[in-house]
């Protein structure tokens, strides 16, 4: 631009004269304006004489694993420095645990971030992302953020992925398929045989994301082994998290395992320095606390079995639960049931008009959930 001469109207003067100067605010992209808000699990309202429990976010009720607080505190002492950009110690620890090359790993601020990054890296505007519905509520949001279209394939009546219907939904615009196993919020997981049959049909140009946020809690015949699966397919990536079984939800750290070109794309779009030194240290320390982790996970799984039995004994039709949560398909009563729980000091996660998800928490909280549900169904049955 040539310099403005004296007496000539400047660009600033020109802009000042534009009539729309004060009438139009900056507008985000259309796809951003339609994003539904992410509804977080609510914290309990304190009540006098009643201990409250939060069963609304699938968090781990346990404090950090042994050694984790100390490692975090030590890392916190260096907070004047940026964290290691490449999270190299964490990559090495994960590579050793999973027996994969470090180039096949990517870490981020929770596996939600990895899912956002995958859609951003692989979708052009208008491309289609197939996922089950109801499933993890971050999926349609992540698709919108990437300006992609979310294609929701209804679950079967028992809360499972309808993999055949998901195959049928594939079009030339399909770029990514998200498989949530176990499925949040309904609970069932897909089997390896089902997954293998599915992957044999999915075109190799379509990226399949196995969201295994709850992998550690799965206890079923023929469970999915995401790491073995990605080794056999160049279009499969697995996402996992330290938020659930490892109990680090507040520190935000998750990882992806997949072929090098996919993890390289994840790194390319990642926010630099997202995973803090504290989170990296906590994750590494958690990985080396396997016996304590295994014991806690077993206890939570045993509690899940107990809760499921209790709910079914009350006559409730509860789908299989392979995560650290159960699903109560109360339909139109979902919100009312959540209010009843709240009155009894339990915060659950209602999905209005559909159902209620309740996390497996402290034994006392689990007992109370079963009591409320039993009372609820008995009153309803008597009333009808
Ligand atoms: C909780 C959860 C995640 C991961 O959450 P982060 O805390 O971001 O790691 C991913 N997928 C599903 C289905 C979840 O329920």
């Amino acid at each position: 631009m040539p310099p403005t001469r004296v007496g000539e109207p400047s660009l600033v003067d020109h802009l000042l004269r534009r009539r729309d100067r004060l009438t139009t605010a900056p507008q985000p992209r259309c796809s951003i304006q339609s994003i539904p808000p992410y509804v977080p699990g609510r914290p309990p309202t304190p009540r006098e004489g009643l201990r409250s429990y939060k069963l609304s976010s699938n968090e781990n009720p346990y404090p950090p694993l042994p050694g984790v607080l100390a490692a975090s505190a030590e890392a916190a002492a260096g907070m004047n420095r940026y964290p290691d950009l490449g999270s190299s110690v964490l990559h090495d620890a994960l590579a050793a645990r999973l027996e994969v090359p470090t180039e096949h790993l990517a870490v981020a601020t929770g596996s939600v971030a990895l899912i956002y990054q995958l859609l951003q890296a692989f979708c052009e505007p208008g491309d289609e992302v197939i996922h089950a519905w109801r499933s993890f509520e971050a999926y349609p949001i992540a698709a919108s953020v990437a300006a992609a279209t979310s294609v929701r394939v209804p679950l079967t009546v028992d809360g499972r992925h309808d993999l055949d219907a998901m195959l049928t939904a594939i079009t030339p615009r399909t770029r990514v398929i998200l498989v949530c196993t176990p499925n949040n919020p309904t609970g069932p997981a897909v089997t390896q045989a089902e997954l293998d049959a599915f992957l044999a049909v999915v075109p190799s140009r379509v990226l399949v994301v196995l969201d295994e946020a709850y992998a550690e809690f799965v206890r079923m015949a023929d469970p999915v082994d995401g790491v073995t699966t990605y080794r056999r397919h160049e279009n499969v990536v697995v996402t996992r998290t330290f938020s659930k079984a490892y109990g680090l939800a507040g520190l935000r750290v998750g990882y992806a395992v997949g072929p090098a070109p996919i993890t390289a794309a994840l790194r390319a779009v990642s926010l630099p320095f997202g995973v803090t030194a504290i989170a990296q240290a906590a994750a590494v320390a958690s990985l080396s606390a396997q016996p304590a982790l295994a014991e806690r996970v077993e206890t939570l799984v045993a509690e899940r079995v107990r809760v499921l039995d209790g709910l079914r004994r009350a006559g409730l039709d509860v789908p299989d639960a392979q995560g650290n949560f159960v699903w109560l398909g109360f339909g139109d009563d979902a919100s009312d049931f959540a209010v009843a729980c709240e009155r009894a000091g339990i915060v659950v996660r209602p999905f209005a008009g559909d159902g209620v998800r309740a996390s497996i928490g402290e034994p006392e909280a689990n007992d109370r959930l079963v009591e409320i549900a039993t009372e609820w169904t008995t009153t309803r049955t008597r009333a009808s």
Side-chain angles (χ1 to χ4, degrees), residues 333-363:
D333 289 341
S335 302
D336 288 348
F337 179 75
V339 171
C341 288
E342 171 103 47
R343 270 195 218 111
I346 302 274
V347 185
V348 293
R349 174 74 166 86
F351 295 86
D354 197 352
V356 168
R357 188 192 68 200
S359 313
I360 300 300
E362 298 83 347

Side-chain angles (χ1 to χ4, degrees), residues 109-112 115 136 139 180 184 211 213-214 241 243-244 252:
T109 55
S111 55
V112 166
I115 292 161
F136 190 30
Y139 296 160
C180 188
N184 174 9
D211 181 345
Y214 303 95
T241 180
S243 297
K244 310 287 163 57
R252 315 306 304 126

Side-chain angles (χ1 to χ4, degrees), residues 38 57-58 108-115 135-139 179-185 211-214 239-244 248-250 252-255 324-325 357:
Y38 186 100
S57 297
N58 295 348
T109 55
S111 55
V112 166
L114 291 159
I115 292 161
S135 188
F136 190 30
E137 65 175 325
Y139 296 160
V179 177
C180 188
T181 182
N183 187 53
N184 174 9
D211 181 345
E212 292 196 307
Y214 303 95
T239 59
R240 290 191 186 158
T241 180
F242 285 96
S243 297
K244 310 287 163 57
L248 299 181
R252 315 306 304 126
V253 53
Y255 60 95
N324 63 344
F325 55 91
R357 188 192 68 200

Side-chain angles (χ1 to χ4, degrees), residues 75-163:
M79 62 171 73
N80 54 313
R81 304 287 175 195
Y82 281 105
D84 170 17
L85 177 69
S87 303
S88 51
V89 179
L90 178 54
H91 273 81
D92 291 345
L94 283 168
R97 162 66 28 81
L98 304 168
E99 297 177 348
V100 299
T102 48
E103 311 83 72
H104 289 197
L105 292 165
V107 303
T109 55
S111 55
V112 166
L114 291 159
I115 292 161
Y116 273 56
Q117 287 169 225
L118 283 166
L119 299 193
Q120 252 161 44
F122 285 88
C123 295
E124 301 288 348
D127 279 344
E128 291 167 2
V129 177
I130 297 176
H131 58 84
W133 199 252
R134 180 171 294 277
S135 188
F136 190 30
E137 65 175 325
Y139 296 160
I141 302 175
S144 298
V145 170
T149 303
S150 114
V151 177
R152 306 173 191 195
V153 177
L155 297 167
T156 64
V157 283
D158 50 355
R160 292 171 189 281
H161 275 47
D162 188 340
L163 292 173

